[in-house]
């Protein structure tokens, strides 16, 4: 994604609705001049006016149209908590759009979208945007702790083949999204295609292991696996070099920045073992 | 909106050694990289100077492990001088900075004396910049950085060599606050030919991940920046400004226009904004506008 049009914008909250107690869909007025984005693109938001917490908070764009930019905010600390309390019409400063590499638009090959928890945000954007563009051969696998965490309504009216996994079995498959993926793959219930994932690091790593572990006739079915990563960031622009992810290299793994080299990476290239931070 | 936009009829230029800067508000080394990454976010050409990320002779990959951790009104970092090295800096970054109208101040660091001499040799006679800031104070590397900058004799040696090799350019020495008394370091730098003192670099700190019973940083300690360190930086500037004849550039925790004014009142001739660029990129411009409107505050006596 190009940096053209990237900037700091003063805008306002249009709507803040709790999907469930600790997770909010926040709709922000799209500022004049804010460029179009691709799924995987993100913005950073200043959650407070004072300096604790100090840094802007990065969020994947979950939806964007002429008037809105939507993000999914799960309360995990003081920054997200402050954001979750923002009211309609409250002013807010955003920096964006950010991200050097977003999800590639699907080719003719089917896409298997796999989301865990709030990882649904960029995946939902991809589903809605690409459905509108006529992409129909997509399958969603979406996991959460329980049915409460499965935010089906953020996909609006877009219908694609969807499979749900909940740890407590309250909706769909009992287990996590990766176990559901494996079971569907071995069942021949998934098309041969590319994987687009976003979720907790453990989920994405397990997904890589699962794909690698598919032997025999299943080998090579899922040629590409793109994943959108999350990290603590300071600048969001690639300047400060703070948000590193190690990629497999010949010797010691190479350090890339999640904000500007990603957030989307080829999952197979990530040095999961070496990523100890 | 240049430095000579005389809203109130006052000029705000500052002269340090041989260099005249159009205003006394610089971007500190580190947070904003080579300035280029912030290109579309803020117009860095309006600043008096942009101190680029510290370069070393060869590229450095920086530290592994977590590199950032927020603290109350602060930020711990352990980047470890990741940089593109002097060749790529001189051939790519520096020309791009100049082309975009920035006034570059080249920050230099080294992994030891030989490395330092090679870097100085490479920089001597090079066009495109007229000011350097010697990073004698990075706390996040084993060799060079703060290890050198804590010793007044080594400060003297490093600054003197830069003055000899880069004669004619403005030489700034950036000092560490991680000493009992920063004044001897400033006096050493001045005696060795520095044209200005930059105070301060980050303060050594650390954090612990309680839930996982784990150190946050692989190198145990990191460098603290942000509003939390402003009082420390201000005291350092106050003391140094009363001990040396050369200009002092104040840096550390500036988070508002008033914060910048405090440094001038403490005796600084210029200020650098660092960490605040992350959460308030427009702050340097607001500081410049205020200085152009009201003039540069006079230093307090005492």
């Amino acid at each position: 994604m190009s940096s053209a049009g990237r900037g700091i914008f003063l805008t306002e909250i249009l709507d803040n609705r709790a999907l469930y107690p600790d997770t909010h869909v926040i709709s922000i007025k799209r500022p004049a001049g804010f460029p179009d984005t691709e799924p995987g693109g993100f913005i950073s938001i200043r959650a407070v006016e004072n300096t604790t917490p100090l840094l802007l908070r990065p969020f994947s764009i979950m939806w964007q149209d002429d008037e809105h930019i939507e993000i999914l905010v799960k309360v995990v600390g003081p920054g997200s908590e402050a954001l979750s309390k923002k009211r309609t019409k409250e002013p807010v400063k955003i920096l964006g759009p950010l991200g050097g590499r977003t999800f590639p638009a699907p080719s003719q090959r089917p896409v298997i979208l796999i989301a865990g928890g709030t990882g649904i945000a960029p995946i939902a954007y991809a589903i809605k945007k690409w459905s509108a563009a006529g992409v129909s051969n997509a399958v969603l696998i979406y996991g959460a702790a329980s049915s409460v965490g499965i935010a089906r309504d953020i996909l609006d009216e877009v219908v694609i083949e969807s499979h749900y996994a909940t740890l407590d079995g309250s909706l769909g498959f009992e287990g996590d999204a990766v176990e559901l993926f494996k079971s569907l793959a071995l069942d021949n219930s998934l098309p041969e295609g590319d994987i687009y994932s976003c979720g907790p690091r453990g989920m994405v790593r397990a997904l890589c292991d699962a794909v690698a572990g598919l032997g025999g006739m299943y080998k090579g079915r899922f040629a590409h696996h793109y994943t959108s990563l999350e990290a603590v960031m300071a600048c969001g622009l690639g300047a400060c070099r703070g948000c590193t992810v190690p990629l497999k290299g010949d010797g010691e793994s190479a350090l890339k920045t999640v904000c500007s080299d990603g957030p989307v990476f080829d999952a197979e290239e990530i040095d999961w073992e070496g990523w100890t931070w | 909106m240049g430095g000579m936009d005389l809203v109130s009829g006052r000029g705000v230029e500052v002269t340090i050694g041989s260099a005249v800067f159009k205003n006394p508000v610089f971007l500190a080394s580190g947070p904003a990289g080579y300035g280029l990454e912030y290109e579309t976010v803020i117009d860095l050409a309006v600043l008096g100077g942009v101190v680029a990320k510290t370069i070393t002779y060869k590229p450095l990959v920086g530290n592994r492990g977590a590199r950032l951790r927020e603290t109350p009104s602060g930020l711990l970092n352990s980047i470890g001088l990741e940089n593109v090295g002097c060749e790529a800096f001189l051939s790519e970054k520096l020309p791009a900075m100049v082309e975009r109208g920035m006034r570059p101040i080249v920050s230099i660091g080294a992994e030891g004396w030989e490395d330092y001499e090679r870097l100085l040799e490479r920089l001597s006679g090079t066009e495109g910049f007229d000011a350097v800031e010697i990073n004698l104070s990075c706390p996040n590397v084993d060799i060079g950085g703060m290890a050198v900058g804590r010793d007044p004799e080594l400060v003297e040696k490093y600054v003197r060599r830069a003055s000899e090799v880069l004669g004619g350019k403005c030489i700034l020495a950036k000092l560490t606050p991680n000493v009992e008394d920063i004044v001897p370091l400033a006096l050493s730098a001045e005696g060795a030919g520095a044209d200005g003192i930059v105070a301060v670099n980050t303060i050594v700190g650390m954090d612990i991940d309680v839930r996982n019973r784990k150190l946050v940083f692989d190198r145990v300690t990191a460098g603290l920046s942000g509003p939390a360190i402003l009082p420390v930086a201000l005291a350092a500037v106050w003391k140094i400004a009363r001990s040396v004849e050369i200009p002092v550039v104040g840096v550390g925790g500036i988070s508002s226009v008033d914060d910048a004014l405090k440094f001038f009142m403490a005796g600084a001739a210029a200020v650098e904004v660092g960490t605040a660029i992350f959460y308030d990129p427009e702050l340097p411009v607001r500081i410049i506008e205020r200085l152009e409107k009201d003039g540069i505050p006079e230093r307090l006596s005492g």
Side-chain angles (χ1 to χ4, degrees), chain B residues 69-82:
Chain B
R69 181 80 157 187
E70 279 177 298
T71 64
S73 287
L75 178 67
L76 284 163
N77 90 77
S78 181
I79 307 293
L81 292 189
E82 175 179 344

Side-chain angles (χ1 to χ4, degrees), chain A residues 164-175:
Chain A
Y164 302 111
T166 50
L167 296 179
D168 65 1
S170 54
L171 177 71
F173 177 87
E174 184 173 339

Side-chain angles (χ1 to χ4, degrees), chain B:
Chain B
M1 188 186 355
M4 286 299 286
D5 255 356
L6 304 179
V7 179
S8 63
R10 294 170 207 266
V12 293
E13 312 94 319
V14 59
T15 302
I16 304 177
S18 57
V20 180
F21 301 92
K22 66 182 174 184
N23 65 59
V25 181
F26 307 161
L27 202 61
S29 181
Y34 306 98
L36 306 167
E37 299 86 344
Y38 270 86
E39 188 183 1
T40 62
V41 179
I42 36 167
D43 181 9
L44 294 174
V46 305
L47 301 194
V50 174
V51 190
K53 189 150 179 45
T54 298
I55 53 159
T56 47
Y57 185 70
K58 285 186 186 157
L60 287 182
V61 296
N63 292 335
R64 302 184 75 78
R67 289 183 169 190
L68 299 170
R69 181 80 157 187
E70 279 177 298
T71 64
S73 287
L75 178 67
L76 284 163
N77 90 77
S78 181
I79 307 293
L81 292 189
E82 175 179 344
N83 79 93
V84 298
C86 73
E87 289 308 328
F89 176 77
L90 292 173
S91 64
E92 296 162 27
K93 305 296 184 185
L94 183 66
M97 291 174 76
V98 172
E99 191 188 313
R100 285 156 180 78
M102 288 180 230
R103 171 70 176 279
I105 297 169
V106 177
S107 173
I108 58 174
E111 296 181 287
W113 181 250
E114 278 179 27
D115 206 43
Y116 184 65
E117 288 212 294
R118 278 193 298 178
L119 178 60
L120 290 177
E121 286 301 330
R122 182 64 188 84
L123 293 177
S124 71
T126 304
E127 302 290 314
F129 65 100
D130 63 355
V132 296
E133 183 180 276
I134 313 170
N135 182 350
L136 294 158
S137 39
C138 177
N140 296 322
V141 290
D142 289 324
I143 312 169
M146 189 175 77
V148 165
R150 272 173 161 161
D151 180 342
E153 284 180 23
L154 287 175
V155 166
E156 149 122 35
K157 181 180 171 189
Y158 273 70
V159 173
R160 188 171 302 287
R161 193 80 185 117
S163 310
E164 288 165 4
V165 178
L166 303 176
K169 292 196 195 295
C170 164
I171 309 282
L172 302 167
K174 186 168 182 182
L175 304 181
T176 176
N178 300 296
V179 285
E180 196 178 303
D181 186 2
I182 198 168
V183 169
L185 300 178
L187 290 170
S188 283
E190 182 182 41
D195 297 299
I197 303 293
V198 182
V200 295
N201 206 318
T202 54
I203 298 176
V204 171
M206 65 179 280
D207 202 3
I208 290 172
D209 176 348
V210 171
R211 190 173 302 170
N212 297 306
R213 289 186 58 82
K214 214 176 96 174
L215 294 170
V216 168
F217 295 105
D218 283 13
R219 290 177 47 83
V220 184
T221 59
L224 181 65
S225 67
I229 76 163
L230 183 134
V232 177
L234 198 61
V237 166
W238 174 272
K239 284 198 285 185
I240 295 167
R242 274 146 193 80
S243 310
V244 301
E245 302 294 324
I246 54 178
V248 181
V249 180
V251 51
I254 292 176
S255 195
S256 67
V257 173
D258 275 4
D259 286 346
L261 301 184
K262 289 178 190 178
F263 278 97
F264 290 108
M265 291 182 190
V271 294
E272 293 180 1
V273 176
T275 301
I277 208 78
F278 293 143
Y279 54 90
D280 187 7
E282 293 146 328
L283 176 62
V285 172
R286 293 203 308 276
I287 297 170
I288 294 167
E289 285 171 351
R290 173 72 75 85
L291 296 177
E292 288 177 346
K293 181 169 162 286
D294 295 342
I296 296 168
E298 282 185 28
R299 67 192 273 179
L300 302 179
S301 55

Side-chain angles (χ1 to χ4, degrees), chain A:
Chain A
M1 198 155 72
S2 129
S3 63
R6 176 182 292 166
I8 186 130
F9 298 91
L10 178 62
T11 179
E12 64 179 31
I13 305 287
L14 291 177
D15 186 47
N16 176 0
R17 102 189 134 90
L19 267 186
Y20 26 95
D22 68 350
T23 304
H24 293 236
V25 175
I26 297 184
S27 179
I28 298 161
K29 184 177 175 184
R30 178 178 177 175
F34 189 92
D36 288 333
T37 59
E38 296 300 322
F42 64 102
I43 58 173
S44 276
I45 308 185
R46 189 166 188 191
V48 295
E49 283 302 304
N50 59 32
T51 54
T52 299
L54 194 69
L55 300 172
L56 307 186
R57 292 295 189 261
F59 293 94
S60 283
I61 294 170
M62 187 162 74
W63 176 243
Q64 182 180 327
D65 58 27
D66 290 347
E67 285 94 41
H68 313 84
I69 300 168
E70 268 182 16
I71 57 170
L72 191 60
V73 177
K74 181 177 182 179
V75 178
V76 294
S80 47
E81 187 179 359
L83 276 174
S84 74
K85 291 176 178 158
K86 296 252 182 226
R87 293 162 186 266
T88 300
K89 298 218 162 165
E90 237 184 274
V92 67
K93 264 193 182 166
I94 66 170
L95 173 67
L98 303 174
R101 188 186 182 208
T102 49
F103 282 122
S107 53
Q108 293 303 96
R109 284 166 63 80
V111 288
I112 299 108
L113 302 142
I114 305 179
T118 50
I120 190 66
I123 299 293
Y125 190 19
I127 291 169
K128 289 164 77 174
K129 191 172 172 102
W130 296 339
S131 297
V135 175
S136 57
N137 45 358
V139 178
L140 171 67
I141 298 172
Y142 181 9
S146 77
S147 62
V148 178
I150 300 281
R152 275 181 289 187
D153 60 334
I154 60 176
L155 296 174
D156 294 336
E157 68 283 3
V158 179
V159 180
I160 64 167
E161 184 187 330
S162 302
H163 303 271
Y164 302 111
T166 50
L167 296 179
D168 65 1
S170 54
L171 177 71
F173 177 87
E174 184 173 339
D176 65 28
V178 178
E179 289 165 336
L180 175 54
F181 162 80
K182 264 194 282 195
S183 136
L184 291 167
L186 294 172
D187 247 10
N188 286 321
S189 301
L190 291 177
E192 189 171 327
D194 295 328
I195 295 173
Y196 290 61
S197 76
C198 187
R201 207 182 282 179
M203 179 199 100
V204 181
R205 184 176 181 180
L207 190 54
C208 286
D209 292 343
V211 172
L214 289 171
M217 62 182 283
Y218 304 102
K219 208 169 172 60
R221 276 202 173 189
F222 309 105
H224 297 103
H225 176 186
Y226 306 102
T227 190
S228 182
L229 298 176
E230 187 173 48
V232 173
M233 294 175 186
C235 71
L237 301 162
C240 76
R241 319 306 296 170
C243 58
T244 52
V245 52
L247 299 191
K248 290 171 189 161
D250 293 336
E252 196 172 57
S253 51
L255 297 175
K256 299 288 176 185
T257 54
V258 172
C259 70
S260 63
D261 295 316
V264 173
F265 290 87
D266 294 311
E268 306 302 333
E269 290 181 7
I270 296 165
D271 176 12
W272 297 104
E273 196 62 40
W275 200 5
T276 55
W277 56 93

